[in-house]
Amino acid sequence: MQTDMEIAKAIKMRPVTDVAADLGIDAGELELYGKYKAKVPLSYKSGKPRYENPKLILVSAISPTPAGEGKTTVSIGLSQALNKIKKQSTVVLREPSLGPVFGIKGGATGGGYSQVLPMDDINLHFTGDFSAIEKAHNLLAALIDNNIQSRSRSLNLDPRTISWKRVMDMNDRSLRKIVVGLGGTASGVPRETGFDITAASEVMAILCLSDDIRDLKKRLGNIFIGYTFDKKPVYARDLHAHGAMAVLLKDAVKPNLVQTMEGTPAFVHGGPFANIAQGTNTVIATKTSLALSEYTVTEAGFGFDLGAEKFLDIKCRIAGLAPNAVVLVATVRALKYHGGMSLKELKTPSLDALRKGIVNLQKHIENIRLFNLAPVVAINRFASDSPGELDFISEYCRSAGVPAAITDVWGQGGAGAVELAEMVVEKAAACNSGFKPLYELDDSVEGKIETIARKIYGAEAVDYTAKAKAGLRRVYDLGLENLAVCMAKTQKSLSDNPELLGRPKDFIITVREIEIAAGAGFLIPITGDIMRMPGLPEEPASERIDIDDEGNITGLF
C-alpha cells in the first residue's frame, strides 16, 4: 500500500494561479511563494460575494481516539465531492504545527486521495506564518523583561504576576519551566517562566480571530500581562508593543491559497490547538472563502465538545458567521474504542462494543441540535470495518432522524463522498438560519462555564479550586466578565477525565484555574492537566524523516 506521501508525490499539481482563477482572483494580485502556494490580499474578504447565499459547512467529529477519525481527510474529500456534483467548493483548514509533525502524529494535511498540496511544504514552515507568530509573541516577552530591567521607563511590573511565557513551534519538555535573567545585573532580573508551543500562543488565537490589520493591532494591545507592584493591570499597549507585533504579522495575516489532490481550492491559515484554544482556522480565511465560493467546507479541532463548540460560541459570534450544516465524522473503530475495546482489538468485528460506544455519537448529535443546526453523519470507512458494523451505525442514525453516508475519501477522494455531498447540499438548502450561540456574553462567567459543562459535556456540576475562585475574582475586578469562554479540557473524553470514554454521566467538572486572553477576547477555564509544551515520544516521528541528494523528502507520512 502506498503511503500518503507517495500518493501525493504522484499527483501533478496545478499552478496556484490557475487555482486562484477558479475563485476569480487575478494572478497579478497574488503574492507567490513558488508555483503552488500564494497569499491572497485581504481585500477579497470584504468584496461582493461571487455567489448568492454562499453556504458554510462545518466538519466536526465524535470524541477522538488513538485509532483516528480522519476529520481533516473527510473535510477535504467532501469539498472535492461537492465540486464533482458541480457545486463550487473551497476547503478551509488550519496549518499544521511542527510539534506534532516531528512528534507522534506526523503530518496533518489529510490522507490518501484527500490531501492538500504541496503537503511537504505545508507541513514544513509553509509560508512562515508560525515563525511570524512566534517572533511577535517573543518580542512581547522580551519587552516585558526589558521593562522590568529598565530604570527610566519602568512600569513597576511585579514579575510574580506575569504569566506571559515564550513560545517555540517544537515539542521540547525541557523548556516547560525555566529561569531567565541569570548571569548578573546586566543580564536581566532573574525570574521563573517557561515556553509553550506556538499553537498555544494567544497571538495565534488573536491572528485567527482578527478581521483585519486594525482589529489585529487592537487585540494585540489588549493582551493582559500582569500587575504593577501597586496592583494596577498592565496590557501590551502599555508597553507600546502592539504596533511592532502587528508589523511582524503583516504577511501572516493574509490567507494562504493552495489546492487539494483534485485541484479544489484550499485556504490553509492559522493553527490554534482546540484543547487549549479555539481550534479553528482564521476568520479572514473563512470569510475570504465565503466571498469567493459557493460552498465553504471548514473543520474545527478534536470532537464537537471542543473545537466545534468554540467555533460556534467564539468564532461565529465574533465574525458574524452562521453554519448551514454540520458534518459529524464517526468511525466504526472509534465507536468500538468508546465501547471498551482495546486499540489492538479494533480490527475484530464486534457489534457489542459498537452498541456500547454508540452513545458517544448520540451525545454529539444532541449537542449539534442545541445550536439549532442540522447534523449529517459521515461514517468514515476503514478496510477492517465489517458490513454489519457499518449497517448498525447507518441504522442508528436513521432511527435518530439524522442522514448518514458511508465515505471512502482516503481511497477514492471526492468520488468516495458524493452521497455525503448530496446530503450536505440538501441540508444546507433547508437551513432556516436558526443558529444561536449556547450562552449570552452578559451571562455570569460561572453561568457560561456551567452551561457548557452541563449541556455540552453532560456534567452534573462544576467545582472550582481556590486558585480558580481567585481567578474569577480577578476577572471581575478587571471588568472582563463579558468575554466568551474557551474551555481547556482533555479531548479524549466528554468529561475532564481522559479515562471516561463513551458518554460519561454523573461527573463533576473541576476548574482548577482561569486564565485571561483579553486580546483574543475570551477567558480560559482550565480543567484537568492540559499540556502546553508537549514532549517528544520515545520514538519521535522525526527519526523517520529524511531528504535525498535531489531534495526528495521521505517519512513525513
Side-chain angles (χ1 to χ4, degrees), residues 281-295:
N281 56 73
T282 66
V283 166
I284 289 172
T286 303
K287 284 189 171 182
T288 301
S289 179
L290 285 167
L292 301 174
S293 309
E294 186 179 11
Y295 284 81

Side-chain angles (χ1 to χ4, degrees), residues 118-194:
M119 59 88 77
D120 46 355
D121 288 355
I122 295 170
N123 280 302
L124 302 171
H125 301 303
F126 198 20
T127 57
D129 293 347
F130 270 60
S131 179
I133 290 164
E134 183 179 300
K135 299 300 185 295
H137 182 113
N138 292 339
L139 170 62
L140 179 56
L143 289 170
I144 290 169
D145 282 306
N146 187 60
N147 192 268
I148 293 172
Q149 172 82 347
S150 174
R151 292 183 179 180
S152 61
R153 304 189 67 200
S154 173
L155 293 174
N156 201 29
L157 269 167
D158 182 351
R160 299 167 299 178
T161 68
I162 296 169
S163 58
W164 192 259
K165 298 181 178 181
R166 286 162 171 81
V167 296
M168 181 174 69
D169 192 32
M170 193 63 61
N171 289 1
D172 192 345
R173 61 173 58 84
S174 300
L175 295 177
R176 289 173 188 162
K177 295 184 182 297
I178 63 173
V179 176
V180 296
L182 300 180
T185 56
S187 297
V189 177
R191 67 182 185 90
E192 185 178 347
T193 181

Side-chain angles (χ1 to χ4, degrees), residues 275-406:
N275 54 349
I276 49 180
Q278 74 268 36
T280 71
N281 56 73
T282 66
V283 166
I284 289 172
T286 303
K287 284 189 171 182
T288 301
S289 179
L290 285 167
L292 301 174
S293 309
E294 186 179 11
Y295 284 81
T296 291
V297 178
T298 190
E299 53 91 33
F302 294 131
F304 188 90
D305 57 314
L306 281 172
E309 183 272 318
K310 295 168 184 178
F311 181 96
L312 298 167
D313 278 328
I314 298 176
K315 178 175 179 175
C316 287
R317 191 197 308 264
I318 287 173
L321 301 173
N324 299 96
V326 178
V327 174
L328 188 66
V329 180
T331 67
V332 168
R333 303 191 310 175
L335 289 173
K336 287 194 293 188
Y337 186 85
H338 280 290
M341 286 188 81
S342 71
L343 199 58
K344 294 180 180 179
E345 299 173 316
L346 293 182
K347 292 184 179 181
T348 303
S350 174
L351 287 177
D352 184 56
L354 204 51
R355 288 189 189 95
K356 293 176 181 176
I358 201 78
V359 292
N360 189 266
L361 175 63
Q362 177 191 53
K363 177 56 178 163
H364 288 294
I365 289 173
E366 291 174 9
N367 286 347
I368 294 171
R369 288 170 167 163
L370 287 174
F371 293 89
N372 294 325
L373 294 171
V376 178
V377 172
I379 307 169
N380 192 18
R381 184 175 194 165
F382 285 78
S384 61
D385 299 344
S386 71
E389 290 171 322
L390 293 168
D391 288 344
F392 178 85
I393 300 175
S394 297
E395 181 55 37
Y396 174 82
C397 291
R398 276 192 290 272
S399 67
V402 179
I406 298 170

Side-chain angles (χ1 to χ4, degrees), residues 35 94 107 192 264 308 346 414 504 517 527:
K35 296 179 181 179
R94 291 174 293 165
E192 185 178 347
T264 294
L346 293 182
T527 72

